[in-house]
Amino acid sequence: MSPRTAEHMTWHQSHHAVDGVMVHPSDGEAWKHFNSMHPHFSAESRNVRLGLCTDRFNPFGSFAAPYSCWPVILTVYNLPPGMCMRPEFMFLSMVIPGPSSPGRNIDVCLRPLIDELTQLWSSGALTYDISRK
């Protein structure tokens, strides 16, 4: 990560929300609840907070035979709103192939990713903060 990007990784902590206006997930009740449930994690603003997103699309166009792919994307929520949804900060973690929706079995497809994220949560990963040297 570049020094310029790294300095934005703590934006969520220094950002001051306006009451009743949500411009970033850090303004929401879920973020605050997470902080209260995991004070050791939230005490370090450089700890990476990830969002998991998925949605269906037909890679052959809307007029082709029914088929669906489900990309699973991790987004970095530490970054400011203008950065966290930019493609360079969204990570394609896996693609769940069709021909149809995984439906209730999506948890089976996501299991390897969830296991890896759980291991990362438990063990952590040492990194170097280039912005603070």
Side-chain angles (χ1 to χ4, degrees):
M1 183 176 293
S2 74
R4 188 164 174 250
T5 302
E7 70 187 29
H8 292 290
M9 289 295 287
T10 59
W11 175 89
H12 63 94
Q13 188 171 20
S14 60
H15 162 69
H16 298 290
V18 176
D19 285 341
V21 179
M22 185 170 167
V23 297
H24 187 270
S26 63
D27 299 335
E29 291 302 316
W31 190 287
K32 294 170 187 151
H33 177 72
F34 180 88
N35 284 350
S36 69
M37 297 299 293
H38 304 283
H40 183 69
F41 181 86
S42 61
E44 175 52 72
S45 63
R46 294 173 294 178
N47 283 335
V48 179
R49 296 169 183 249
L50 299 172
L52 189 142
C53 320
T54 187
D55 198 3
R56 178 186 80 88
F57 78 96
N58 184 339
F60 304 114
S62 59
F63 299 110
Y67 189 88
S68 67
C69 283
W70 291 74
V72 178
I73 299 167
L74 290 174
T75 57
V76 180
Y77 282 148
N78 292 57
L79 298 168
M83 294 177 74
C84 69
M85 293 299 172
R86 290 178 55 186
E88 58 266 32
F89 302 113
M90 299 174 79
F91 305 101
L92 179 62
S93 302
M94 63 190 310
V95 176
I96 302 170
S100 60
S101 164
R104 292 183 180 181
N105 294 326
I106 194 166
D107 60 328
V108 174
C109 300
L110 292 174
R111 177 53 40 199
L113 176 60
I114 298 302
D115 288 346
E116 196 168 331
L117 291 172
T118 301
Q119 181 182 6
L120 185 60
W121 173 261
S122 300
S123 306
L126 292 176
T127 60
Y128 177 74
D129 184 354
I130 190 73
S131 70
R132 295 187 186 177
K133 298 179 183 171

